[in-house]
Amino acid sequence: NAGVTQTPKFQVLKTGQSMTLQCAQDMNHNSMYWYRQDPGMGLRLIYYSASEGTTDKGEVPNGYNVSRLNKREFSLRLESAAPSQTSVYFCASSVVYGYTFGSGTRLTVV
Amino acid sequence: AQSVTQLDSQVPVFEEAPVELRCNYSSSVSVYLFWYVQYPNQGLQLLLKYLSGSTLVKGINGFEAEFNKSQTSFHLRKPSVHISDTAEYFCAVTGFNYGQNFVFGPGTRLSVLP
């Protein structure tokens, strides 16, 4: 009954470093999403995957890449981190109008 | 383009008082509406959703919301709040043409005071 699991929970990066945020769901959902949350701006969609093998850009995709490794896993990669990418990142999965969110990754880029 | 407006960024209210958190949306297509709650350092949890049918929707923890198509609103209400309701609340909209993607409002921080 884990739902959506994100790792790591916290990360500090230096400008220019790379890292991958991991997300896995055990609910057999087809769709998965990556959002970033910034104060006063709600959640903004970075990338999503409607099904295994497909990915699409959301509202704010610049500076990110994603991989839908299989039906369970959807990773988000920052190739060269920038301070503007300091944020809280949420992964979610869904089956027809029902989102389940992970607990988030708090990323700080210095 | 679709958008969601939450008119109040912060709402302080005393314990056991009623509260209303406001949400307005703009969309050219039929919509489905949601309220999510985020407790400190946690992810978002679904409070309630409107897909069709009765415009008054009841959710968890005693919350309810009313869909008003003419006013394009989906305000969240609770008749008597508790300290444990202190959290951030997000209104979200999706629709048939959204590809299951949600558009979130900026959030309203509800602070329940003793």
Side-chain angles (χ1 to χ4, degrees):
Chain A
N1 61 348
V4 178
T5 303
Q6 290 183 238
T7 55
K9 293 190 182 300
F10 300 95
Q11 184 72 47
V12 178
L13 290 179
K14 294 182 178 179
T15 297
Q17 285 186 317
S18 62
M19 79 161 295
T20 300
L21 281 64
Q22 306 288 351
C23 175
Q25 53 95 6
D26 61 2
M27 297 170 288
N28 202 36
H29 288 172
N30 286 324
S31 300
M32 298 186 72
Y33 309 80
W34 276 104
Y35 285 88
R36 60 177 290 172
Q37 182 181 27
D38 301 293
M41 303 188 73
L43 279 77
R44 293 181 293 170
L45 183 64
I46 305 172
Y47 270 93
Y48 67 99
S49 170
S51 62
E52 185 178 354
T54 68
T55 62
D56 287 286
K57 296 179 180 180
E59 181 184 356
V60 289
N62 291 344
Y64 305 95
N65 285 300
V66 291
S67 296
R68 182 74 183 267
L69 305 171
N70 47 55
K71 191 171 187 179
R72 291 187 65 248
E73 298 173 286
F74 188 39
S75 62
L76 178 71
R77 183 161 178 83
L78 287 70
E79 291 290 352
S80 179
S84 61
Q85 294 178 305
T86 293
S87 187
V88 181
Y89 292 85
F90 287 99
C91 178
S93 69
S94 77
V95 55
V96 189
Y97 308 129
Y99 270 34
T100 301
F101 285 87
S103 58
T105 297
R106 188 173 296 273
L107 175 67
T108 301
V109 183
V110 298
Chain B
Q2 299 80 16
S3 66
V4 176
T5 303
Q6 292 181 245
L7 296 171
D8 306 300
S9 59
Q10 298 186 58
V11 174
V13 63
F14 287 106
E15 193 173 18
E16 298 184 7
V19 70
E20 179 179 81
L21 306 183
R22 296 178 291 172
C23 172
N24 289 86
Y25 67 92
S26 66
S27 177
S28 59
V29 298
S30 295
V31 296
Y32 308 108
L33 295 153
F34 302 77
W35 276 98
Y36 283 85
V37 59
Q38 184 181 31
Y39 299 104
N41 299 314
Q42 294 188 26
L44 279 72
Q45 301 175 30
L46 180 66
L47 268 181
L48 49 79
K49 62 184 175 184
Y50 170 79
L51 301 182
S52 64
S54 173
T55 57
L56 182 63
V57 180
K58 295 188 183 299
I60 62 172
N61 299 339
F63 284 93
E64 64 180 31
E66 186 158 19
F67 171 53
N68 188 320
K69 187 174 182 178
S70 63
Q71 297 187 8
T72 60
S73 68
F74 191 55
H75 300 333
L76 181 70
R77 292 189 283 262
K78 186 169 182 177
S80 175
V81 294
H82 302 288
I83 297 287
S84 59
D85 292 324
T86 294
E88 187 139 22
Y89 292 78
F90 292 94
C91 183
V93 62
T94 189
F96 182 76
N97 291 344
Y98 288 51
Q100 295 188 42
N101 297 335
F102 280 39
V103 176
F104 285 87
T108 296
R109 184 169 298 278
L110 175 64
S111 298
V112 180
L113 310 172

